[in-house]
């Protein structure tokens, strides 16, 4: 995989492992490659695609994610998706930002020019975000509501472009990371530092890694009393309800690079299975306030506002991040720290797959709708069957996740390998 991607994606190759308190790699020297992070990049990209597919075919309500069964195959959201989607939301993007913070710190240690670093970030993060928002996202609107003529579709596309007031879709991550990186560069100029980190810095990092998630939980709860999940910050499109975790993860990534830590801080020797057991085992607590009110356990959970449900969710969300993110990183470090190869699943194609997966999903959904629906677009009678409505979302999500993941990586491979200039950008 080319080094251009390492500068670009949320899941870059971080610095070489150093003993705590040791100096980071000297300026201008490239640390040894970490293949576990390359493999983690491919895994996380596939995980994101499966996550969005689950939402599309009957995902849970709340967290800014209403059910979006865009084929019209199902009537309601499926509660069977709750554990999968909730745990993904709790740690996935926080882990992305931790790795991005590590990569930016590594880039800053080698860069001779702050402006050169920012310019690189604007090109490799900002340009894909702009292209996605101005090209791919409006095309999705045309695919969803096509006109009968080419002129009509072009007009619809132009109208969608005219509505743009910021980034669209998953590239909110790119825009937010650009803001974080610029802030990091500015802080370096305001608070310059050099040489090995002090013992006090290392102790502060350990303390922040072990207990900082509690502060993030409390502050996020207070923030959600005014800005519940589902709101977005203009232009960059990030949901402020989860922003504090992203800042926390990014800051930990910077600090981890300087103290020589390979992984995000967390409980020691905690396996992925145990981490998921903690997260899933405490997930039912989110429904406890509603149950005590006599609402049962099937009602929607209040994730924002001044109430017990929102407070429990804030703690649960950050506890899951504190346990799952380190466990996943450590599992890849132990078991998958070897070259990924040059096939379809090469990390070289993961960034392109991330950017293209919504387009692939839309096209695949059209094919699924034609396969299962009548020629006039209506559902056949068997789709109203209780068994289909109950378990169909799982079957369709499993099948379409495989299609979307394979299609996204394949399209990314074709563009990078056969379209001049794409490889240098992605």
């Amino acid at each position: 995989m080319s080094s251009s991607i390492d500068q670009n994606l949320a899941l870059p190759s971080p610095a070489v492992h150093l003993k705590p308190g040791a100096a980071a790699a000297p300026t201008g020297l490239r640390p040894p490659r970490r293949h576990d992070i390359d493999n983690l990049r491919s895994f996380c990209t596939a995980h994101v695609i499966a996550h969005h597919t689950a939402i599309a075919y009957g995902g849970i309500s709340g967290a800014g994610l209403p059910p979006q069964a865009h084929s019209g195959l199902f009537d309601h959201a499926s509660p069977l998706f709750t554990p999968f989607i909730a745990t993904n939301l709790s740690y996935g993007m926080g882990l992305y930002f931790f790795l991005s913070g590590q990569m930016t710190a590594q880039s800053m240690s080698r860069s001779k020019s702050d402006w050169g670093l920012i310019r690189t970030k604007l090109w490799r993060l900002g340009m894909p975000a702009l292209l996605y928002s101005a090209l791919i996202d409006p095309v999705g609107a045309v695919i969803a509501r096509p006109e009968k003529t080419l002129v009509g579709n072009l007009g619809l596309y132009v109208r969608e472009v005219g509505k743009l007031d910021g980034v669209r879709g998953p590239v909110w991550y790119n825009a937010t990371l650009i803001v974080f990186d610029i802030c990091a560069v500015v802080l370096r100029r305001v608070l310059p530092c050099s040489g090995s980190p002090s013992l006090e810095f290392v102790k502060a990092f350990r303390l922040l890694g072990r207990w900082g998630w509690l502060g993030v939980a409390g502050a996020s709860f207070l923030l959600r009393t005014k800005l519940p999940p589902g709101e977005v910050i203009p232009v960059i499109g990030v949901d402020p309800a989860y922003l504090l975790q992203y800042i926390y993860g990014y800051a930990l990534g910077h600090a981890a690079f300087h103290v020589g830590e390979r992984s995000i801080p967390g409980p020691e020797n905690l396996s992925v299975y145990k981490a998921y057991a903690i997260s899933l085992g405490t997930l039912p607590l989110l429904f406890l306030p509603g149950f005590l009110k006599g609402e049962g356990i099937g009602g929607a959970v209040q994730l924002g506002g001044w109430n017990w449900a929102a407070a429990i969710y804030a703690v649960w969300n950050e506890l899951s991040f504190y346990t799952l993110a380190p466990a996943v990183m450590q599992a890849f470090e132990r078991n998958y720290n070897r070259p990924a190869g040059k096939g379809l699943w090469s990390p070289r194609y993961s960034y392109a797959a991330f950017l293209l997966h919504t387009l692939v999903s839309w096209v695949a959904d059209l094919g699924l709708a034609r396969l299962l629906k009548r020629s006039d677009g209506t559902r056949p009678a068997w789709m109203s069957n209780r068994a289909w409505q109950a378990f169909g979302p799982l079957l369709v999500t499993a099948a379409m996740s495989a299609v979307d993941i394979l299609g996204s990586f394949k399209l990314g491979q074709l563009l990078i390998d056969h379209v001049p200039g794409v490889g240098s950008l992605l």
Side-chain angles (χ1 to χ4, degrees), residues 187-219:
L187 285 175
R188 180 174 71 167
R189 298 184 70 89
V190 175
L191 302 171
C193 60
S194 60
S196 302
S198 65
L199 181 59
E200 289 74 15
F201 183 88
V202 175
K203 289 181 177 180
F205 169 75
R206 303 276 187 235
L207 186 65
L208 185 65
R210 180 173 292 274
W211 302 110
W213 66 275
L214 286 170
V216 174

Side-chain angles (χ1 to χ4, degrees), residues 159-247:
R159 290 194 296 274
E160 289 297 321
V161 172
K163 296 177 183 178
L164 288 177
D165 55 359
V167 298
R168 297 278 186 88
V171 293
W172 66 263
Y173 167 78
N174 296 47
T176 304
L177 183 55
I178 289 173
V179 174
F180 286 5
D181 287 343
I182 292 175
C183 290
V185 170
V186 171
L187 285 175
R188 180 174 71 167
R189 298 184 70 89
V190 175
L191 302 171
C193 60
S194 60
S196 302
S198 65
L199 181 59
E200 289 74 15
F201 183 88
V202 175
K203 289 181 177 180
F205 169 75
R206 303 276 187 235
L207 186 65
L208 185 65
R210 180 173 292 274
W211 302 110
W213 66 275
L214 286 170
V216 174
S220 295
F221 165 68
L222 294 176
L223 182 62
R224 290 176 189 141
T225 61
K226 300 297 183 182
L227 297 170
E231 302 288 335
V232 296
I233 295 177
V235 182
I236 62 175
V238 65
D239 189 336
Y242 300 95
L243 180 59
L244 296 181
Q245 185 192 95
Y246 305 156
I247 296 173

Side-chain angles (χ1 to χ4, degrees), residues 34-110:
R34 285 188 56 190
H35 298 292
D36 58 316
I37 298 302
D38 286 342
N39 294 315
L40 182 59
R41 173 188 292 115
S42 295
F43 168 79
C44 285
T45 300
H47 201 240
V48 165
I49 296 172
H51 174 80
H52 288 161
T53 304
I55 294 170
Y57 293 103
I60 59 173
S61 301
L65 297 170
Q68 302 171 26
H70 49 221
S71 289
L73 302 179
F74 310 107
D75 296 329
H76 307 289
S78 172
L80 298 177
F81 286 101
T82 299
F84 178 69
I85 294 177
T87 52
N88 291 347
L89 283 171
S90 70
Y91 82 95
M93 294 311 302
L95 177 57
Y96 267 60
F97 279 106
F98 172 83
L99 295 168
S100 300
Q102 275 192 325
M103 188 60 216
T104 297
Q106 178 181 317
S107 298
M108 290 172 65
S109 72
R110 297 198 309 260

Side-chain angles (χ1 to χ4, degrees), residues 198-337:
S198 65
L199 181 59
E200 289 74 15
F201 183 88
V202 175
K203 289 181 177 180
F205 169 75
R206 303 276 187 235
L207 186 65
L208 185 65
R210 180 173 292 274
W211 302 110
W213 66 275
L214 286 170
V216 174
S220 295
F221 165 68
L222 294 176
L223 182 62
R224 290 176 189 141
T225 61
K226 300 297 183 182
L227 297 170
E231 302 288 335
V232 296
I233 295 177
V235 182
I236 62 175
V238 65
D239 189 336
Y242 300 95
L243 180 59
L244 296 181
Q245 185 192 95
Y246 305 156
I247 296 173
Y248 175 61
Y250 183 85
L252 282 179
H254 263 271
F257 171 80
H258 290 291
V259 304
E261 281 288 343
R262 292 178 67 93
S263 177
I264 188 169
E268 296 182 3
N269 302 319
L270 184 67
S271 69
V272 173
Y273 300 107
K274 291 180 180 178
Y276 267 102
I278 293 172
S279 178
L280 296 176
T282 53
L283 180 63
L285 293 176
L286 273 61
F287 301 93
L288 182 60
F291 178 78
L292 294 177
K293 291 180 180 179
E295 299 173 357
I297 60 173
V301 177
Q302 289 184 288
L303 305 184
W306 191 269
N307 57 76
W308 280 109
I312 294 173
Y313 175 72
V315 175
W316 176 86
N317 192 72
E318 303 310 322
L319 174 64
S320 296
F321 172 71
Y322 174 67
T323 54
L324 282 168
V328 169
M329 279 201 74
Q330 292 165 16
F332 270 81
E333 183 181 345
R334 289 191 304 267
N335 304 317
Y336 301 100
N337 194 9

